[in-house]
Amino acid sequence: MQTQETGSSKHASANQSRPGDSSRDDVVIETRNLSKVYRDFWGRQKVRALKALDLEVRQGEVFGLLGPNGSGKSTTIKLLLGLLFPTGGEALVFGREATDVQINERIGYLPEESYLYRFLNAEETLDFYGRLFEMPAKLRRERVKQLIEQVGLNWAKRRPLKEYSKGMVRRIGLAQALINDPELILLDEPTTGLDPIGTREMKDMIIDLKSRGKTVVMCSHLLADVQDVCDRIAILHQGELKELGRVDTLLKVRDVTELQVAGLSDKALAEIRSVIDADGAKLQSVDNPTTTLEELFLSIVQDSEARPGRKATGSDS
Amino acid sequence: MEYVTTPPDFFPWLRESGLTFLLVVVGLAKISILFGYLVTAVRRGPVAALSITSKAIAGGVVDLVRISPRRVMALAWLAIKESIGRRVLVVFVIYALVLMFAGLILDPTLRETGRLYVGFVLNAMLYLMLALAWILSAFSLPNDLKQRTIYTIVTKPVRPSEIVLGRMIGFSAVGSMLLAVMALFSFLFVVRSLRHTHAVEAGSQTSLVTGHRHVIDKNQVGEEGGTTDRAHSHSHHVDDPSRGEMTGPSQGELIARVPIHGTLQFTDDKGQPKEKGTNVGKEWTYRSYIKGGSLAAATWRFSDVRAEDFCDAEGKTDSLPITMNLRVFRLHKGTIDRGVLGSIVLRNPDDPDLVSGMITFRAKEFQLDEIDIPRHLLSGKPGPDGRPMRLDLFDDLVSESGELDVQIQCEESQQYFGMAQEDVYLRSRDGSFAMNFIKGCLGIWLQMVIVLSLGVMFSTFLSGPVTMIATLGALVTGMFAGKISALVAGEYLGGGPIEAFVRIVTQRNLVSPLEVGMATTLIEMFDKAILFILWVILKLLPDFQSYSNIDQVAIGFNIPGMLSLQHLLSALAYLSVAMVVGLFFLRTREVAR
């Protein structure tokens, strides 16, 4: 039997791990009070895109950024990549400011729409990005060949990207993000434009990256994808962090108990525990039921709109 | 048009120009830092602005120091691929069409066909390359930002300096390749178009080809053959006119004269030194005139005259070629097609007794007079034996310090010769026309590269269309730098732009003063402000005209190698500034906005 209430308050709230709580050596991304205000030409405030975001992403994690359109997740990614400058606070990647060019040696980035040069073919594209990392020619050739095979584009490697389908462009986009064998991979809507097989392959690739100790930060609208691959997620709404924690913890409905009972008679339904004891039945498990990420997401957004300004408070890990 | 045949001495020029460059760069840097700080202070507060500004400067310096040549080359390669993708090779097709039509339009019967053809092809190349540079550079970076392809670049370990430099180098490589091929075809087009022969007719003249024929002086044709007269700026070799064969190909049309200029001193009709000659009433006072049949003379003092500079192909120096571009002002018509008689006397500046006899010539209007003074000649003053001495021009008439005086007089009374300092020069051994053509192309290349760099620089902070307008503005201003400079210096009548506009509207002439009053004061004030801004812009923008040697190549004057080197260095200075400015704009720009 399972009952469920909506509202984020009923879900497990997740505490962010605090600096000093554990070893800080494995912190890959850290934002402190990170804020971004978009201004017009005259410096007047247009949009407050991100409000005092505190985040930590540790090595080897697959971290998901969720939020509706305009929630600030793309802004967060862009701030982490140095594509935007913070209005307040700071964004640190590998312990250095996000605008520091040197950290890009260890980063791979797959943008939302694989913004690639469409007059180049797959080999040229990967070779070009490899040259930006000053990779030796031999290593570059090997890496290009390996990545093209990995993303399954060997048959089209000499065709210019302008002749590629959207899914093919996404694949080559992923390959360019991995050209330098990065430690941190930022994926913006990684499964957009992919067919179900491509989506599955992408998710497998993310899991594979995790198994190789890489850190992956992804933002996506496709909640099922996030649920499948992410260890932890942050839910943003209107520029504020609304929820943060492990996916399995967040999806547990704490105030509802789910009993799985084998051989329970109809008479015992009213007073379960006593009847179980009296009836001599065996209690197999007592647990909280899980909701879907979609339900969690919708409940947080509804709650946020009902009570604007409330931030994530609770905790997990 | 003023031709620079004698560039300033290299090291003094380098010292002076380098100092000016440093002063301008330091001044600009200070203004930019102050401006950047103030803007940031308004947005983020004075303390944060201090930190942000200092970080931007430090980061910019690091970006400059740590430029990776391999990444720059990768980005340059991308720019080349992008250019090819944008169909820049269409320029070849356009140029091929231009050459095809040139064959139809250019009139080979004109007197100075060499000048016409060379000037045409070089100008066509210049404007095509400038247009190409303008369009290529203006849209590249803005397109990258608009299409967000820049995201995948700046998220790699690429510095803004590398992005700017990579584009500049890439586009310059494309332009250079196009220009090299065009230059080769242009050279072949000119040489093949002008190359012609004549049939020898009746032993004394040639057949009519492209509107001209040549006369053959049989007395000057020996066993080894000789040359025809010089018509339409060229002559032909003739083996044996009596055999009625064809002449050799045209020669002397595509040349690179190396003039040695001197300083001009006038003497009046009483033989007294004067700063200027006679004013014959011409509005353009560039030239002064000397009176014929009098003591009035124009004397040029040439320095560094060395026999080896005037040797022939075999290394022998038998004569001193002098070229004169004298104007003739006639008080009476005389024999109009015969020219006015003039004389040349050579003199050793250290010893007035060492003077040549009078060498006469006839000067015609609007025609170059080229005279070869023989190396061995008789003196104008008698020697100890009362007879003229035999003089060696280079040993006796040139002083120990290498100076030589050349005095020109008009020998016909009632007639005048007009001249300016540049009108008479010693013609040293000619340079190679092909090399001079290449130097002319180098001038085009430098202009193209500067436009590319300006375009890339503007595109780091402006959108594509605005970059186009800004680059065009810089180009046009740079092309008319001389005229704008004269306007700023107050050399034009009618005041500044606003005063000129008022004069047009109120239909006033250029010289009558405006009424004294508040309005005039305001007009003058605004004009001064505008002219000051123009002055600043002029000081910052390159003077494109100074890089253009097209007319000099077309008219057949050698471009000194040192001048090309100076142009190259000054262009490099502009490129480096454009790169640094572009770097700072790109660095302080949020590429994701």
Side-chain angles (χ1 to χ4, degrees), chain B residues 487 494-506 514 519-531 534:
Chain B
L487 177 71
I498 296 179
E499 186 180 328
F501 178 74
V502 170
R503 285 180 188 277
I504 291 170
V505 172
T506 56
L514 300 181
T520 304
T521 309
L522 280 174
I523 287 169
E524 286 174 352
M525 218 166 70
F526 280 114
D527 270 344
K528 272 185 186 165
I530 292 171
L531 291 178
L534 277 177

Side-chain angles (χ1 to χ4, degrees), chain A residues 36 38-43 78 81 83-87 97 101-102 104-105 109 111 115-117 119-120 124 128-129 131-136 176, chain B residues 43-44 55 66 68 70-71 73-75 77-78 81-82 144 147-159 167 587-593:
Chain A
K36 180 65 189 173
Y38 288 113
R39 298 177 189 277
D40 65 10
F41 179 80
W42 304 106
K78 285 170 185 170
L81 286 162
L83 296 171
L84 292 173
F85 305 147
T87 312
E97 279 191 25
V101 172
Q102 282 181 314
N104 292 350
E105 296 272 7
Y109 169 53
Y115 304 119
L116 302 170
Y117 294 95
F119 49 83
L120 301 179
E124 288 170 336
F128 165 66
Y129 288 112
R131 290 170 74 185
L132 296 184
F133 285 98
E134 298 191 282
M135 292 165 68
Q176 69 79 28
Chain B
R43 293 189 170 185
R44 307 285 295 272
K55 269 186 190 171
R66 293 201 182 162
S68 154
R70 290 172 71 183
R71 273 197 290 271
M73 284 305 121
L75 289 159
W77 172 84
L78 182 74
K81 292 287 284 188
E82 182 194 333
D144 254 13
Q147 293 166 4
R148 300 179 183 179
T149 40
I150 192 98
Y151 287 14
T152 54
I153 303 283
V154 294
T155 51
K156 305 286 183 287
V158 176
R159 296 177 184 280
R167 275 193 161 64
R587 197 186 158 68
T588 50
R589 173 178 189 160
E590 293 182 306
V591 295
R593 287 203 70 184

Side-chain angles (χ1 to χ4, degrees), chain A residues 108-290:
Chain A
Y109 169 53
L110 172 66
E112 193 177 348
E113 288 192 28
S114 301
Y115 304 119
L116 302 170
Y117 294 95
R118 302 176 72 79
F119 49 83
L120 301 179
N121 65 34
E123 276 186 330
E124 288 170 336
T125 299
L126 297 186
D127 185 69
F128 165 66
Y129 288 112
R131 290 170 74 185
L132 296 184
F133 285 98
E134 298 191 282
M135 292 165 68
K138 190 177 170 213
L139 175 64
R140 224 164 51 222
R141 273 196 300 275
E142 287 169 3
R143 190 89 183 120
V144 168
K145 191 177 170 204
Q146 177 208 332
L147 283 168
I148 286 179
E149 279 174 10
Q150 194 176 334
V151 297
L153 286 174
N154 212 15
W155 58 278
K157 62 184 179 185
R158 300 262 159 78
R159 281 168 55 186
L161 301 195
K162 63 186 167 198
E163 293 176 9
Y164 276 25
S165 69
K166 195 171 179 185
M168 290 163 78
V169 175
R170 290 303 282 167
R171 285 161 190 261
I172 205 68
L174 178 69
Q176 69 79 28
L178 301 176
I179 188 76
N180 56 325
D181 193 17
E183 294 167 49
L184 167 65
I185 302 114
L186 294 144
L187 306 171
D188 199 349
E189 304 288 352
T191 53
T192 305
L194 294 179
D195 58 22
I197 297 169
T199 304
R200 185 68 259 166
E201 286 172 353
M202 177 67 82
K203 287 196 274 193
D204 288 346
M205 199 171 290
I206 293 169
I207 291 163
D208 177 54
L209 288 169
K210 175 184 161 58
S211 70
R212 286 161 49 205
K214 311 286 184 190
T215 310
V216 179
V217 175
M218 60 182 280
C219 67
S220 177
H221 290 104
L222 301 173
L223 303 176
D225 294 349
V226 175
Q227 190 171 356
D228 285 350
V229 295
C230 287
D231 299 320
R232 288 202 303 145
I233 56 168
I235 298 180
L236 297 171
H237 186 236
Q238 293 173 343
E240 288 182 334
L241 180 65
K242 294 295 178 185
E243 202 62 82
L244 172 69
R246 292 194 61 81
V247 176
D248 48 7
T249 312
L250 286 172
L251 296 185
K252 279 190 192 302
V253 184
R254 288 277 168 89
D255 52 356
V256 177
T257 303
E258 184 182 65
L259 301 177
Q260 285 189 1
V261 182
L264 187 66
S265 68
D266 290 344
K267 271 172 71 180
L269 281 173
E271 294 179 56
I272 293 172
R273 281 194 177 276
S274 58
V275 170
I276 289 169
D277 290 339
D279 205 39
K282 186 180 176 188
L283 183 64
Q284 283 190 329
S285 70
V286 179
D287 201 354
N288 303 115
T290 54

Side-chain angles (χ1 to χ4, degrees), chain B residues 386-407:
Chain B
R387 290 193 298 184
M389 294 183 292
R390 210 173 151 69
L391 298 174
D392 182 296
L393 195 156
F394 293 100
D395 293 342
D396 300 321
L397 297 178
V398 175
S399 73
E400 282 184 13
S401 57
E403 291 186 325
L404 169 70
D405 281 353
V406 174
Q407 176 188 290

Side-chain angles (χ1 to χ4, degrees), chain B residues 191-200 206 209 212 214 226-231 233-239 245-254:
Chain B
V191 170
R192 291 180 66 88
S193 299
L194 298 182
R195 193 182 173 92
H196 66 276
T197 56
H198 298 260
V200 177
T206 66
V209 176
H212 72 280
H214 297 269
T227 54
T228 65
D229 71 336
R230 194 169 167 80
S233 310
H234 68 274
S235 58
H236 294 265
H237 180 81
V238 186
D239 281 336
E245 293 176 340
M246 298 294 285
T247 65
S250 52
Q251 54 192 24
E253 195 160 26
L254 299 173

